Amino acid sequence: MAKRIVVDPITRIEGHLRVEAVLDGGNRIQNAMSSGTMWRGIEVILEGRDPRDAWAFCERICGVCTTTHALASVRCVENSLGIQVPVNADIIRNIMFLTQMVQDHVIHFYHLHALDWVDVVSALKANPAATAALAQKAAPNWPLGTEGYFRDMAGTLKKFVDSGQLGIFQNAYWGHPAYKLPPEANLMAVCHYLEALKWQKEIIKIHTVFGGKNPHPNYIVGGMASAISMQGDNAVNIERLNLVRDQIMGAIHVVEDMYLPDLLAVAGFYPEWTTIGGGLGSYMVYGDLPRNGIGDPSKFLFPRGVILDKKLDEVLPVDPADPSQIQEEIAYSWYDYPNGKTSLHPWDGVTIPKYTGPKPPYKELDESKAYSWLKSPRWKGHPVEVGPLARMLVGFAGGRPEFKEVVTEALGRLKLGPEALFSTLGRTAARGLESRLAARWLLDEYNRLIDNLKAGDSTTADTRFWNPATWNAESKGLGFTEAPRGALCHWIHIKDKKIANYQIVVPSTWNASPKDGKGQHGAYEAALIGTPMADPKRPVEILRTIHSFDPCLACASHVLSPDGETLAEVIVR
Amino acid sequence: MTWTMTGGLAEPRAPVLVLGIGNALLQDDGVGLRLLERVKETAGPAPDCEFIDGGTQGIALLGYLTGREKLVMLDAIGLGGEPGTVHVLRGGDIEGFRARRAATPHEGNALELLAMAKLLGEEPGEVVIVGVEPAAVRTGIGLSDAVEAALPRAAAAVKDILEGMRRRSDVFGDSGKDC
């Protein structure tokens, strides 16, 4: 008899995603449905507006990815108008991008995902001296690790828990047998949770320096709005640049001496998760971090490409401008396409809602009909996973030395082969390894900026095409980036100086998409199918795999659940 | 090591933070941001108050709470009342919401933010949330009529709160008369 588990919502941060898993008689997931339960429709808001303003609206789409949406937006307008931004603008954008990526990955690991592996309540039972000994071994270069430190931190934690405020540690299953860390490892991880919380307040100041303000830093079509004058008082000056450098050094320290050691320590306790949750085995990366302008993907630090069916000996080329490559299907989505079409390239994309689902609140969705507000983007008809694992695999398979180095080293430490990457833990580990590359690249990009400035080039924007009188009557463009959660692209159609059409395909739409016309599952669904459940009433296994993708349905279905904070709702029938 | 936890861009902080929260693309959900604009305009020069548009950010706003003595959060709050009703929540009320569920569209954010600040020992000494009961929370720009009409009342409530804070403490000093 099939049992059905409903987890709704699954995100700890804003957004609304519903996952239904159908178990077989042996408590193994035999079918899964991922549903975005709120309509987005940002595209409708943008129609008819000035393309130069689009980024400021896009920045509001998601509370987490503000800068990445702004970046994709200015890039699509620049692509449409034929603007190539100055070198400094690319470098500053790279610094903003990398800052966002490192901050987001660290927050994800400690504040959104670690609680699937780390038992906060168990941490209270830890012996401070034994925890100090463990920390000395696991994270020897992290300065906070004495017995006294752990005793104090455990006291703070206990006070907090005793005051009944476990709320922020919600959506987990304390005491579940699937938690395998000893109390000392739990305490170490929880302490680092707090250190990460303090650190993330600092690193994001880089956005304030270059973006003028944060949250919602300023972008501009044609470059960056950051005025740089090494000796000036009212611009980004040498004092501010030195502060940026300090923050970058701090990021390298946090990633290499705290995050990665914690990641490897936790991973060592969960070897079975290197064989669970792999899912599609096909991956797509648009690539980003230009070193020779956005038009030259061969010089991107994150290389572009597609891997199909776990074949690491072949990286296929991808082009988001090619209508035959990227199509959005709606076979199982609550949308309508004109003229009976079932799939469209985003340049021709339309956003016409057609809700045919049950009236909320509902017990379950019908998987034989439309069941999501997300469309199903596909690459040449293939469902693909996007995100850190995709990026690490494309870099690794493409033979980039820095990717090979970090991947090989981590696999060696855990005594695993590359096949272990195709898993829930592989996805989580890829995010950490990517953070290591990103933190180092931050320093590289910073040094490039300083070199350019010293050589006398302080240009950050090209405003020759600012005046709409210089534009063609009609043009199309696209702006891609690699958001922390994966491939993101904005497609724009400009007509008579206004936005005629604007379509966005966010990473969570690739990953959380419903089935397509051929019945192929999206990445979340595929990753869940086959997962054994220890206790279906407390589905920590589902949380582990879905959280390993870092879901942000604020991106995909846009927003905040109307009922606010909700604990995981579990219904077993 | 050139870096310390407390280093970097340590600027003098205004003791009072007025933080607007919401999604400007979801109609009434963005009322906190509109209220922030209005309060800022009518407050005039206020050197001891800082006004920040927090959008829909969560944990990333934590840094803005550090070192504050008072926090006034502006948000959409759905308590099932008439659209446009102005809610003022203080200490005990807010504590109550931590234990409950589903009060505001941003509860996960606003309350999580406060809980995290508390965990770090950085919660401002006094926290007040001013919110307006939304009528329409769906994709679109601009407030519903009922919520638009509530803005002057909500702004007056914020003004009273800021004045009350000034009367009850010296955080505003002499320079904060117009806050």
Side-chain angles (χ1 to χ4, degrees):
Chain A
M1 185 191 71
K3 284 184 281 190
R4 185 182 289 255
I5 293 182
V6 180
V7 181
D8 175 19
I10 204 156
T11 36
R12 284 206 185 87
I13 45 178
E14 60 189 55
H16 212 94
L17 167 70
R18 177 187 177 102
V19 167
E20 294 189 15
V22 181
L23 304 188
D24 64 15
N27 283 347
R28 189 175 289 269
I29 297 175
Q30 60 166 271
N31 195 14
M33 297 162 71
S34 162
S35 171
T37 57
M38 279 190 77
W39 181 54
R40 184 160 50 101
I42 173 75
E43 290 90 349
V44 180
I45 284 180
L46 288 168
E47 276 173 29
R49 292 187 187 269
D50 187 328
R52 295 168 299 179
D53 296 339
W55 68 268
F57 291 93
C58 293
E59 214 174 43
R60 299 279 175 169
I61 295 171
C62 170
V64 185
C65 306
T66 57
T67 59
T68 45
H69 277 294
L71 177 60
S73 182
V74 292
R75 276 180 176 165
C76 81
V77 178
E78 288 157 1
N79 180 248
S80 184
L81 301 177
I83 298 171
Q84 188 169 348
V85 305
V87 175
N88 285 337
D90 267 339
I91 298 175
I92 292 170
R93 289 176 179 184
N94 287 352
I95 292 173
M96 303 277 284
F97 169 109
L98 289 163
T99 299
Q100 156 86 16
M101 177 170 276
V102 176
Q103 189 219 22
D104 204 63
H105 283 359
V106 172
I107 288 181
H108 176 263
F109 179 73
Y110 286 102
H111 305 117
L112 303 170
H113 193 30
L115 303 180
D116 299 335
W117 313 97
V118 172
D119 187 333
V120 173
V121 175
S122 154
L124 297 173
K125 297 179 201 137
N127 175 313
T131 309
L134 171 71
Q136 186 54 43
K137 192 162 156 269
N141 296 323
W142 185 250
L144 301 167
T146 63
E147 182 183 343
Y149 166 80
F150 286 115
R151 180 169 291 116
D152 289 351
M153 294 295 271
T156 303
L157 184 64
K158 185 164 188 316
K159 216 169 113 192
F160 190 77
V161 171
D162 286 348
S163 70
Q165 300 197 51
L166 263 170
I168 56 168
F169 300 129
Q170 68 178 8
N171 203 1
Y173 300 99
W174 311 130
H176 191 293
Y179 284 97
K180 302 230 176 113
L181 299 186
E184 286 72 25
N186 283 319
L187 179 58
M188 180 178 82
V190 174
C191 289
H192 292 172
Y193 171 112
L194 293 170
E195 300 304 337
L197 206 50
K198 292 179 200 164
W199 165 80
Q200 62 88 24
K201 298 189 301 179
E202 305 297 321
I203 176 77
I204 210 65
K205 289 172 181 170
I206 294 175
H207 280 181
T208 313
V209 171
F210 291 116
K213 66 189 179 74
N214 196 62
H216 317 111
N218 291 319
Y219 280 73
I220 187 172
V221 168
M224 288 302 285
S226 3
I228 303 184
S229 168
M230 295 290 259
Q231 307 308 330
D233 285 334
N234 298 316
V236 178
N237 57 22
I238 192 68
E239 185 191 358
R240 299 236 124 187
L241 290 170
N242 284 339
L243 291 168
V244 168
R245 189 175 193 283
D246 286 351
Q247 290 301 331
I248 293 172
M249 298 313 287
I252 293 172
H253 179 44
V254 163
V255 168
E256 298 199 350
D257 298 331
M258 184 174 86
Y259 176 14
L260 282 173
D262 282 348
L263 176 64
L264 292 173
V266 171
F269 284 96
Y270 293 98
E272 70 278 18
W273 283 91
T274 62
T275 61
I276 298 170
L280 296 174
S282 296
Y283 305 88
M284 186 191 75
V285 182
Y286 292 143
D288 203 339
L289 297 172
R291 279 289 178 84
N292 184 36
I294 198 69
D296 182 3
S298 72
K299 297 288 191 298
F300 290 176
L301 294 179
F302 276 125
R304 167 178 283 195
V306 165
I307 290 171
L308 285 184
D309 304 322
K310 304 185 184 176
K311 284 186 277 198
L312 292 179
D313 53 356
E314 188 179 25
V315 177
L316 303 165
V318 54
D319 180 3
D322 179 355
S324 74
Q325 293 197 21
I326 292 173
Q327 294 268 328
E328 285 197 290
E329 302 193 11
I330 52 164
Y332 289 90
S333 311
W334 291 312
Y335 292 99
D336 203 11
Y337 278 169
N339 307 322
K341 292 240 165 74
T342 55
S343 67
L344 290 171
H345 183 266
W347 266 329
D348 307 316
V350 292
T351 310
I352 307 168
K354 184 190 168 193
Y355 187 72
T356 56
K359 190 175 181 309
Y362 42 80
K363 290 270 188 201
E364 65 183 278
L365 291 161
D366 180 353
E367 62 234 85
S368 69
K369 299 183 182 130
Y371 61 87
S372 182
W373 279 117
L374 303 186
K375 297 174 183 172
S376 298
R378 296 293 185 255
W379 179 79
K380 292 190 175 177
H382 298 279
V384 289
E385 175 179 335
V386 299
L389 178 57
R391 288 189 288 258
M392 294 308 291
L393 287 171
V394 166
F396 180 79
R400 291 281 183 103
E402 63 277 29
F403 288 78
K404 294 208 91 129
E405 184 198 332
V406 295
V407 170
T408 310
E409 190 191 324
L411 288 172
R413 292 273 298 278
L414 294 168
K415 299 186 176 61
L416 294 166
E419 69 283 354
L421 293 166
F422 305 115
S423 67
T424 292
L425 202 53
R427 207 170 282 121
T428 297
R431 193 170 288 107
L433 301 179
E434 174 167 274
S435 300
R436 186 173 171 191
L437 293 180
R440 291 279 165 177
W441 287 337
L442 255 181
L443 188 58
D444 292 346
E445 293 302 288
Y446 173 83
N447 288 334
R448 285 178 67 217
L449 179 64
I450 298 296
D451 288 349
N452 255 2
L453 295 173
K454 283 186 177 159
D457 174 12
S458 59
T459 310
T460 56
D462 178 351
T463 54
R464 282 175 297 166
F465 298 97
W466 182 253
N467 185 345
T470 62
W471 303 353
N472 291 331
E474 192 171 351
S475 61
K476 285 183 174 183
L478 64 87
F480 59 84
T481 182
E482 285 292 328
R485 288 157 190 81
L488 167 68
C489 196
H490 291 201
W491 284 265
I492 194 170
H493 180 182
I494 302 173
K495 202 173 172 185
D496 302 329
K497 328 293 183 202
K498 302 280 184 219
I499 296 173
N501 194 8
Y502 202 102
Q503 292 285 319
I504 302 171
V505 181
V506 305
S508 293
T509 307
W510 286 96
N511 287 338
S513 66
K515 289 186 290 186
D516 56 33
K518 289 186 214 153
Q520 301 175 107
H521 285 285
Y524 286 6
E525 295 175 340
L528 287 173
I529 291 171
T531 301
M533 308 281 298
D535 176 1
K537 287 184 183 162
R538 297 186 293 168
V540 70
E541 294 88 350
I542 293 179
L543 294 183
R544 282 178 178 167
T545 291
I546 298 297
H547 285 154
S548 75
F549 285 95
D550 192 2
C552 172
L553 259 286
C555 278
S557 72
H558 200 319
V559 156
L560 324 163
S561 62
D563 53 351
E565 184 187 7
T566 312
L567 292 170
E569 180 184 330
V570 185
I571 302 166
V572 181
R573 290 186 290 110
Chain B
M1 197 177 75
T2 57
W3 172 84
T4 59
M5 240 359 150
T6 52
L9 299 187
E11 288 146 4
R13 281 258 157 113
V16 178
L17 172 65
V18 183
L19 178 65
I21 289 186
N23 192 326
L25 307 181
L26 278 182
Q27 292 208 316
D28 290 347
D29 192 76
V31 65
L33 311 182
R34 286 286 307 281
L35 186 53
L36 181 81
E37 280 171 21
R38 194 181 177 99
V39 170
K40 207 167 148 181
E41 276 166 20
T42 55
D48 295 330
C49 265
E50 190 172 353
F51 299 92
I52 290 180
D53 167 357
T56 53
Q57 301 236 321
I59 300 174
L61 294 172
L62 197 52
Y64 294 101
L65 270 56
T66 307
R68 307 288 184 178
E69 294 174 33
K70 319 232 174 220
L71 169 66
V72 181
M73 280 173 134
L74 314 178
D75 201 352
I77 300 184
L79 295 177
E82 283 293 310
T85 307
V86 177
H87 300 290
V88 177
L89 309 175
R90 296 172 187 272
D93 309 326
I94 300 168
E95 292 286 332
F97 284 114
R98 283 182 188 160
R100 279 171 47 189
R101 299 188 341 198
T104 84
H106 297 288
E107 192 176 24
N109 278 334
L111 298 184
E112 181 184 40
L113 192 60
L114 290 175
M116 292 219 167
K118 187 170 180 125
L119 187 60
L120 293 182
E122 294 181 354
E123 196 177 38
E126 184 179 354
V127 179
V128 185
I129 303 180
V130 179
V132 181
E133 188 82 33
V137 179
R138 55 177 172 259
T139 306
I141 290 181
L143 303 176
S144 66
D145 292 345
V147 173
E148 183 80 40
L151 282 177
R153 275 180 286 128
V158 176
K159 192 161 177 257
D160 284 351
I161 288 161
L162 292 173
E163 280 171 4
M165 285 176 170
R166 191 190 320 144
R167 274 198 304 276
R168 275 177 287 107
S169 86
D170 57 1
V171 298
F172 290 89
D174 293 323
S175 57
K177 288 192 289 287
D178 297 317
C179 185

